[in-house]
Amino acid sequence: MLIASIKTEILTAVKAACQSQFGQQPEALKLGYPPEVELGDFTVECFPLAKQFRQNPAQIAQAIASEIEPSGSIQSVRAVGPYLNVKIHNHVLFGDVCNEIVGQGECLGSTDIGQGQRVMVEYLSPNTNKPLHLGHIRNGVLGMGVSKLLEATGHTVVKANLVNDRGVHICKSMLAWLKWGDGGTPETTGTKGDHFVGDWYVRYAQEEERQPDLEQETQAMLRKWESDDPETLELWKMMNEWVYGGFAETYQKLGLEFDAFYYESQTYNLGKDLIQTGLDKGAFIVAEDGAVIAKLPIDEFGTQRDGSQKVETLLRGDGTSVYVTQDLGTAKMKFDEHQLDRSIYVVGSEQNYHFQCLFKLLDMLGFEWAPECYHLSYGMVNLPEGRMKSREGTVIDADDLIEEMFQLAADEIRERDSESELSDEEIQKRAFAIGMAAIKFYLLRVRPELTINFDPKESISFDGFTGPYCQYAYARCASILRRAETEDLASVEPDFSLLGNEEELQLIRALIQFPEVVEEAARDLSPARICNHLFTVAQTVNQFYHKHPVLAAESPSLVKARLALINASAAVIKKSLSLLGIETLEEM
RNA sequence: GCGCCCGUAGCUCAGCUGGAUAGAGCACCUGACUUCUAAUCAGGUGGUCGCAGGUUCGAACCCUGCCGGGCGUGCCA
């Protein structure tokens, strides 16, 4: 009996009882869980029925409960006030459920609700003049997380990275390198490529303070770039390659994957023809200075300071494109190239307004897929002293942070390895997995829209509501399962009727809820939901094995039953971690 | 001014989209390693769910209005 079938069985029984007691089918039934596990394994609320059957909910519950005879999976149905609490037979509740969970393997928690849906998740989208920072890590793990959630629910996901590889800021590092770089390269200086280029960007900023006319040289270089000057293009390509090399390393460490790369140098001219279409349709208008603009509806965008209608510029007076121009074109290209059903943009909340405009403009252009574009907005990552500011050097560099987490984890491991039994290689492997788990979980555990106040102490913590805590719970399960293999239990059949204490009930309940949690997380594009549920499972399994011996249980058939529970718990923890992009360790 | 987001324990957050007595973690006390790894577990302290109305049998959750904070607000990305 599958989890889904148990639910259906309960609902079917309730419906049949309503039919015979009240002569009609219930309009709406909601299956939930009682607040205390002792009350039952599932519950059906009778409030909605009260309206339909014109009786008080407690009486309805009574009537239905008396109508349902235990059968199949259902052991008992009891009315408690307005609730119908259902108990499921142990061999189904524990036996069948654990079997199902363990048997599903990689597919655990997967559904097909998104079958046939193609969705693009664009995330990270860095500039090529600076290395990645903490904000990019939040973006990256979030983008990767929602991609995995969508995949788990049957969607076909195209993970895209729109690289901002052109513009003044890129020219600045190019110019600085040309002037003062002395032919150095990442290789000759032993510097990671993105940092190498970023250093020249910083150097530019310093020099510019002393000689403000550098700005003109930058503009001249940008013009050369735009007119396809071969030397400038060559320099540009070379420096961008250095950056990509550096980025690739960081992506790899963070486990970020992409199926498609878009480059703004190739997309920045897209969209101009769409502007013409908009003009032809009368959706856009030409302003006095020749710029193409769109008027934004007041009910959605509010007004300007003076109370007049808001306006968005789509094309400058000189015919050059702006940010939205490019994005309009790219949006269309994405749908055309990949036959998308949905297009998700993982971009920080400071761009909320931009995407509100972009989507409205797509709608004004008449694209039927415009409503399928979605800005997955996430809050900023602030430091204890406020916003990260590159000018003040308070930006937390991604590679530095990764290295720091790795070192901290390694220290912890060595401290616990008092006998020095672990090889250096093993320590490194574990330290990396644990360090990454800490930072990823820390950034994913709150809802995307919330601003994170980056607390260095808390972010490196390995206790409590953290990634390492969850990894540890898994490692403990794995340890018990390993030991079980050395015992002679092969011929013993588990007796699930022996289970049923509070910790066991709480654990199985959490496991049963896993598929719904995945579905909700995917629906809300919120890996935080996975974090919360995962932590509950980890906490519950910790409580369980602390209080109840598994291998030393009273009888072999109880040992087998508890092992099944541990096995299923480990599977759920592993899958949850994997949905968050976090590795599991068999030993910690 | 206008738009969007946020406001729940000292701090950081959950709260299954309206249901059973508001839950965790951190911090602070007190206990538990001869027993499947103490990155663990048990117990304690701690809340007018920003404020005021409204809808409902029932509101932290929905509506309205305030207050406080954040991000934005036509030719940057």
Side-chain angles (χ1 to χ4, degrees):
Chain A
M1 181 66 66
L2 301 172
I3 296 170
S5 315
I6 302 171
K7 294 180 182 176
T8 321
E9 191 180 334
I10 295 168
L11 292 175
T12 309
V14 173
K15 280 179 196 163
C18 287
Q19 185 65 256
S20 69
Q21 283 282 327
F22 303 99
Q24 48 181 315
Q25 292 277 316
E27 282 156 8
L29 277 184
K30 199 174 128 197
L31 195 62
Y33 305 89
E36 308 291 339
V37 286
E38 290 78 14
L39 291 170
D41 305 311
F42 293 92
T43 194
V44 177
E45 295 169 3
C46 294
F47 296 102
L49 303 177
K51 220 169 249 171
Q52 190 186 346
F53 300 148
R54 307 208 147 276
Q55 270 191 38
N56 91 52
Q59 290 173 339
I60 294 175
Q62 277 296 346
I64 295 174
S66 65
E67 185 69 28
I68 299 176
E69 287 300 317
S71 72
S73 315
I74 300 172
Q75 185 181 59
S76 71
V77 178
R78 294 183 52 186
V80 179
Y83 298 94
L84 276 171
N85 292 336
V86 183
K87 267 200 177 307
I88 301 300
H89 284 295
N90 269 13
H91 67 273
V92 175
L93 184 70
F94 291 102
D96 292 359
V97 168
C98 288
N99 257 328
E100 180 186 356
I101 289 171
V102 172
Q104 278 176 326
E106 286 297 302
C107 300
L108 175 55
S110 300
T111 59
D112 57 1
I113 50 174
Q115 206 65 53
Q117 288 250 338
R118 297 181 60 86
V119 30
M120 175 171 285
V121 177
E122 182 204 299
Y123 73 101
L124 208 72
S125 303
N127 292 351
T128 57
N129 62 328
K130 290 185 264 198
L132 273 16
H133 57 73
L134 179 52
H136 288 113
I137 302 185
R138 184 177 193 186
N139 183 307
V141 295
L142 179 59
M144 201 58 201
V146 302
S147 297
K148 291 191 181 205
L149 287 172
L150 290 169
E151 276 161 7
T153 43
H155 300 81
T156 302
V157 179
V158 183
K159 298 186 282 289
N161 188 337
L162 176 56
V163 186
N164 182 358
D165 61 341
R166 63 165 291 276
V168 245
H169 49 290
I170 313 294
C171 289
K172 288 178 180 177
S173 16
M174 285 161 61
L175 191 69
W177 182 82
L178 214 49
K179 278 181 171 296
W180 306 291
D182 210 16
T185 69
E187 289 76 28
T188 61
T189 58
T191 316
K192 191 162 168 285
D194 50 337
H195 288 261
F196 182 82
V197 172
D199 289 346
W200 289 112
Y201 184 76
V202 171
R203 175 70 182 273
Y204 176 93
Q206 292 164 347
E207 297 285 346
E208 195 189 28
E209 300 226 336
R210 271 173 286 177
Q211 35 182 137
D213 46 322
L214 264 184
E215 174 70 27
Q216 288 163 21
E217 287 190 58
T218 312
Q219 288 299 336
M221 182 174 260
L222 183 60
R223 279 193 296 276
K224 278 167 98 176
W225 184 90
E226 291 194 352
S227 60
D228 292 334
D229 173 63
E231 270 182 49
T232 309
L233 284 182
E234 197 184 330
L235 171 64
W236 170 74
K237 276 182 193 156
M238 178 176 74
M239 290 187 77
N240 272 342
E241 282 309 317
W242 291 340
V243 173
Y244 299 147
F247 282 175
E249 250 181 71
T250 310
Y251 296 164
Q252 211 254 329
K253 282 191 237 168
L254 289 171
L256 307 183
E257 295 159 4
F258 299 98
D259 308 304
F261 283 88
Y262 294 106
Y263 298 91
E264 289 193 10
S265 58
Q266 290 161 19
T267 62
Y268 82 109
N269 271 323
L270 289 177
K272 288 187 181 177
D273 50 337
L274 290 180
I275 307 290
Q276 191 54 51
T277 317
L279 281 169
D280 295 345
K281 295 179 71 159
F284 307 150
I285 51 177
V286 180
E288 293 146 17
D289 60 356
V292 179
I293 59 168
K295 291 197 167 183
L296 302 168
I298 292 173
D299 58 334
E300 290 172 59
F301 290 82
T303 63
Q304 304 202 64
R305 270 171 223 279
D306 61 7
S308 64
Q309 189 170 13
K310 297 199 87 169
V311 159
E312 178 82 353
T313 298
L314 308 177
L315 210 54
R316 292 194 190 94
D318 62 4
T320 56
S321 51
V322 294
Y323 186 38
V324 271
T325 325
Q326 178 262 122
D327 262 2
L328 286 168
T330 311
K332 182 176 185 313
M333 186 176 75
K334 286 175 170 179
F335 274 87
D336 290 348
E337 274 185 6
H338 294 278
Q339 298 85 47
L340 300 179
D341 297 292
R342 273 168 90 190
S343 185
I344 295 169
Y345 297 77
V346 183
V347 181
S349 61
E350 68 272 17
Q351 295 199 41
N352 283 357
Y353 179 75
H354 170 256
F355 283 101
Q356 199 192 347
C357 288
L358 176 66
F359 299 158
K360 187 66 200 174
L361 294 169
L362 290 168
D363 180 51
M364 288 164 85
L365 282 166
F367 292 116
E368 69 285 356
W369 42 259
E372 304 308 325
C373 292
Y374 182 76
H375 175 205
L376 176 52
S377 167
Y378 62 90
M380 349 193 55
V381 185
N382 289 336
L383 305 177
E385 55 274 20
R387 278 180 85 155
M388 284 196 273
K389 287 184 178 149
S390 50
R391 232 178 275 166
E392 291 166 26
T394 56
V395 174
I396 295 192
D397 179 78
D399 297 306
D400 289 352
L401 183 62
I402 291 169
E403 179 62 21
E404 191 187 346
M405 298 306 299
F406 169 74
Q407 291 300 343
L408 281 164
D411 292 348
E412 287 281 330
I413 293 166
R414 289 201 185 90
E415 207 169 292
R416 282 157 226 269
D417 180 32
S418 48
E419 312 288 312
S420 293
E421 288 166 334
L422 298 173
S423 68
D424 260 11
E425 196 183 37
E426 182 61 22
I427 291 174
Q428 306 243 327
K429 180 185 155 238
R430 291 188 194 180
F432 186 75
I434 294 168
M436 291 301 94
I439 188 67
K440 288 181 183 179
F441 197 94
Y442 178 79
L443 293 172
L444 286 174
R445 69 186 194 180
V446 301
R447 306 200 308 276
E449 63 268 29
L450 293 189
T451 302
I452 291 181
N453 294 302
F454 184 80
D455 181 340
K457 277 195 217 93
E458 212 179 319
S459 70
I460 61 173
S461 166
F462 301 146
D463 308 318
F465 188 29
T466 67
Y469 175 96
C470 299
Q471 286 176 312
Y472 180 72
Y474 177 87
R476 291 297 302 270
C477 290
S479 168
I480 293 171
L481 293 169
R482 265 195 312 277
R483 278 172 189 272
E485 277 175 28
T486 64
E487 314 236 340
D488 187 24
L489 292 161
S491 58
V492 181
E493 279 302 310
D495 183 352
F496 293 104
S497 70
L498 299 173
L499 300 180
N501 64 46
E502 190 181 340
E503 287 74 21
E504 288 160 349
L505 285 170
Q506 256 156 9
L507 191 48
I508 199 70
R509 160 149 331 158
L511 300 183
I512 282 175
Q513 289 172 335
F514 182 60
E516 336 170 4
V517 171
V518 175
E519 211 168 302
E520 287 162 8
R523 181 196 63 201
D524 299 347
L525 303 178
S526 177
R529 283 187 179 270
I530 300 291
C531 291
N532 282 308
H533 179 262
L534 164 60
F535 181 62
T536 304
V537 175
Q539 217 175 12
T540 314
V541 81
N542 276 337
Q543 289 163 359
F544 165 64
Y545 69 60
H546 255 277
K547 196 158 174 186
H548 308 285
V550 176
L551 298 174
E554 294 87 83
S555 69
S557 49
L558 178 58
V559 170
K560 275 300 258 261
R562 285 189 175 158
L563 278 172
L565 200 48
I566 289 286
N567 205 359
S569 304
V572 169
I573 295 173
K574 183 172 192 159
K575 182 67 185 186
S576 299
L577 285 169
S578 125
L579 286 171
L580 299 171
I582 297 175
E583 274 182 81
T584 46
L585 292 168
E586 298 300 315
E587 290 178 82
M588 271 176 84

